[in-house]
Amino acid sequence: MPQVSVKDRLLEHAEDIFRRKGFHAASVQDITNAAGAPKGSFYNHFDSKQQLAAEIVHRYAQATDFSALHTDRPALQRLGGHLTGQLERVRETGVQFGCLLGTFAGDSTIAGEEVRRNVQAALSTWADQISRTIEEGQAAGEITTRRPAAVLAAFLVDVLEGALLRAKLRGDHAAAAEEIGIALDALRA
């Protein structure tokens, strides 16, 4: 079995530390302690905590599963499957810590420009993927055409992120699933 590099351990544990504490409260010492690495090794791999956070956001975005959007099911079912999958992703890492993108979006003013750009790019890519499915649903007469697909896609991302923020406060994601259902019902033609 290949040995995990110090850089990979730092990335893995930093994601958890950032998720639990937020960017501002997480220290390099917290991250290196969690990774079982000497503090000095951090700077062998990253120039700053901001650079590490930007890479974590990028990796998180790259790991987003869009496969539910690319099936032959009706568009609303694909959207529901995808959004439920994202809700499950957050549940697996701890609803009480919320979505990593939401956490960094909230901390973007102190986390730095690169983190802000990466969060913005991740949310934009996500909305673009959803928008394509909405366009297909609109063409099939399944989804309302009263609003452009891009606007509806941003709405769905915002509903999920807002629902996850509330779930973070409650420590329960049940209401988030219901809110996804309400949002999808609002898209029906």
Side-chain angles (χ1 to χ4, degrees):
M1 204 158 144
Q3 187 174 3
V4 178
S5 73
V6 171
K7 182 177 182 177
D8 286 340
R9 285 197 333 255
L10 290 167
L11 284 162
E12 176 186 334
H13 291 282
E15 181 176 330
D16 185 56
I17 296 293
F18 286 137
R19 193 182 297 283
R20 292 173 187 277
K21 292 187 166 195
F23 179 83
H24 182 68
S27 70
V28 170
Q29 188 70 56
D30 292 333
I31 294 164
T32 56
N33 286 348
K39 187 173 181 178
S41 68
F42 178 91
Y43 295 102
N44 291 333
H45 302 286
F46 304 101
D47 293 335
S48 64
K49 188 170 76 166
Q50 289 84 356
Q51 183 188 34
L52 169 65
E55 187 165 337
I56 287 170
V57 170
H58 178 74
R59 287 168 53 121
Y60 183 85
Q62 294 296 311
T64 302
D65 181 4
F66 295 111
S67 63
L69 296 174
H70 306 294
T71 67
D72 58 358
R73 296 170 43 203
L76 284 171
Q77 287 181 14
R78 289 184 278 154
L79 291 166
H82 171 70
L83 294 172
T84 301
Q86 295 310 300
L87 180 59
E88 182 61 23
R89 182 183 191 190
V90 171
R91 190 194 64 72
E92 287 174 1
T93 58
V95 172
Q96 69 273 27
F97 306 119
C99 173
L100 187 69
L101 294 177
T103 297
F104 278 119
D107 284 347
S108 66
T109 56
I110 56 172
E113 184 59 25
E114 187 178 4
V115 172
R116 189 194 67 73
R117 276 194 316 268
N118 284 6
V119 170
Q120 190 171 31
L123 292 173
S124 184
T125 298
W126 188 13
D128 289 346
Q129 290 283 326
I130 290 172
S131 182
R132 286 189 206 112
T133 302
I134 291 172
E135 287 172 350
E136 293 168 9
Q138 288 175 323
E142 181 185 352
I143 295 177
T144 182
T145 56
R146 287 180 298 191
R147 301 255 189 311
V151 170
L152 295 175
F155 165 72
L156 287 179
V157 170
D158 291 350
V159 165
L160 181 61
E161 285 296 325
L164 289 171
L165 184 59
R166 189 179 324 179
K168 182 178 182 175
L169 291 170
R170 293 180 179 167
D172 177 22
H173 72 289
E178 183 176 3
E179 290 173 27
I180 290 168
I182 294 167
L184 291 174
D185 282 345
L187 267 61
R188 290 187 192 281

